[in-house]
Amino acid sequence: MNFHVLTLFPEMIENGMATSITGRAIEKGAISIEAINIRNFAFNKHQSVDDYPYGGGAGMLMQAEPVYLAWEAAVAGIRERRSHTATGEVHSGAGEIIGEMSPGIVIKEKNQVIAGEMPPCTIYLTPQGKTFSQEQAREFAQSEDLILLCGHYEGIDERVLEEIVTDYVSIGDYVLTGGELAAMVVMDAVSRMVPGVLGNDESAGTESFSAGLLEYPQYSRPQVWHGREVPEVLMSGHHANVDAWRREQSIIRTVQRRPDLLKTADLSNKEWNFVRQLKKQIKEEKNE
Ligand code: 6GU
């Protein structure tokens, strides 16, 4: 997975992703992150990247041209790398199409990419986008390259968005000062779906959220802390009982904290009855 981030603050992206699991994934080569500074593409008279909005109003807008040139540089880099990858893998013929690699890119001859290629997925991080989800993270993880566009000021000239953006993504209903943190949220969630990024220990529990239930509570040593005991069943060594207890705790927690998730949960009839019972109990407690 190769991330290409178009931003006015490349060091924020580089520093933010260099730590912990994503940092290790970069070192291992399971993911790569290229932060492209939009300011390097401000070739106009004043080397500016922002200007006042037509029609008036507060704040400044990012101009179309520097954003477009930064995007073109990202796409050119992707095509260049893909054409190299193609040589050696694809046997060249005399002009006819001889193979297909990296979705949408058709190889005609050695090192030659022809028309019909699709530009890579380009994500604009904006509170006006579709709310990001685990499902979307899984979809994005199928791409070999993702371009992420981070806005600043009051937004970006609409015309360049129309030309380059394939997906509008928000990370929640609140407003950030810029798209960088949102881009890092997306890259983190996508990265952990990429094979080789998580170790075996870390990948356990990955699917619980997508199954429509929250994770069960967990405990480690000591057995008593601040007078609080670890639930006895977890000390029993009885695996079936432990699994049953955890499943029940997941259901209780989901009903209490995120009842909206239950819509997508796959529960047995017995468990749905348990959910009804829990909901009734919560309602009664509220009325007391
Ligand atoms: Cl993706 N960008 C910005 N600037 N603010 C946000 C957001 C994104 N998602 C929620 N708030």
Side-chain angles (χ1 to χ4, degrees):
M1 167 62 66
N2 306 293
F3 297 107
H4 312 265
V5 187
L6 314 180
T7 172
L8 291 172
F9 301 96
E11 67 291 343
M12 188 173 170
I13 299 294
E14 282 155 6
N15 295 336
M17 299 301 289
T19 310
S20 187
I21 292 173
T22 49
R24 202 185 56 209
I26 294 167
E27 281 171 18
K28 280 204 293 186
I31 63 169
S32 76
I33 296 173
E34 173 193 31
I36 297 175
N37 193 342
I38 295 169
R39 197 169 290 283
N40 292 345
F41 298 87
F43 298 130
N44 56 71
K45 201 166 67 184
H46 304 285
Q47 296 233 332
S48 66
V49 291
D50 63 323
D51 205 340
Y52 298 99
Y54 281 117
M60 304 283 273
L61 277 185
M62 280 169 70
Q63 293 166 289
E65 187 65 2
V67 170
Y68 187 71
L69 294 175
W71 178 80
E72 274 195 325
V75 172
I78 292 166
R79 288 194 176 142
E80 168 71 7
R81 193 205 67 237
R82 287 184 185 181
S83 71
H84 286 311
T85 313
T87 41
E89 281 179 8
V90 183
H91 301 284
S92 76
E96 80 271 43
I97 293 168
I98 49 169
E100 205 172 335
M101 49 154 323
S102 311
I105 296 218
V106 180
I107 316 298
K108 197 174 180 187
E109 293 189 297
K110 233 184 178 188
N111 256 343
Q112 193 190 350
V113 179
I114 58 160
E117 53 199 304
M118 247 179 348
C121 185
T122 300
I123 303 165
Y124 177 41
L125 289 314
T126 167
Q128 294 160 34
K130 180 178 166 196
T131 307
F132 189 56
S133 64
Q134 190 64 24
E135 188 191 344
Q136 204 170 20
R138 218 175 294 117
E139 281 169 22
F140 287 150
Q142 304 306 309
S143 301
E144 189 182 346
D145 292 274
L146 288 175
I147 300 177
L148 297 109
L149 171 60
C150 304
H152 258 268
Y153 314 114
E154 296 305 307
I156 302 181
D157 189 308
E158 189 70 19
R159 294 167 296 182
V160 67
L161 301 178
E162 286 170 6
E163 288 206 10
I164 70 173
V165 174
T166 58
D167 295 85
Y168 292 83
V169 173
S170 166
I171 61 162
D173 290 339
Y174 40 81
V175 180
L176 305 171
T177 56
E180 282 76 11
L181 282 170
M184 287 194 271
V185 166
V186 169
M187 289 190 285
D188 189 291
V190 170
S191 293
R192 58 191 297 295
M193 302 282 114
V194 172
V197 169
L198 296 188
N200 285 340
D201 286 355
E202 294 151 348
S203 53
T206 300
E207 288 316 308
S208 68
F209 185 76
S210 40
L213 290 177
L214 299 179
E215 280 281 89
Y216 46 79
Q218 304 222 67
Y219 306 86
S220 186
R221 289 196 294 182
Q223 197 183 330
V224 183
W225 179 81
H226 281 200
R228 298 160 186 272
E229 302 241 11
V230 173
E232 209 169 309
V233 62
L234 299 179
M235 322 291 295
S236 69
H238 193 301
H239 294 300
N241 286 355
V242 169
D243 288 348
W245 181 85
R246 285 177 167 170
R247 178 88 180 165
E248 186 181 277
Q249 290 296 313
S250 278
I251 294 170
I252 293 170
R253 181 159 282 199
T254 309
V255 170
Q256 285 174 337
R257 301 185 185 177
R258 290 293 307 276
D260 57 299
L261 284 181
L262 288 165
K263 286 197 290 281
T264 60
D266 187 14
L267 305 186
S268 68
N269 285 338
K270 202 175 148 199
E271 287 172 330
W272 282 121
N273 282 331
F274 182 50
V275 166
R276 269 190 287 279
Q277 191 190 316
L278 286 168
K279 284 187 168 173
K280 203 172 133 204
Q281 209 174 304
I282 290 171
K283 216 169 165 185
E284 281 165 6
E285 279 164 14
K286 257 194 218 157
N287 292 335
E288 270 163 18

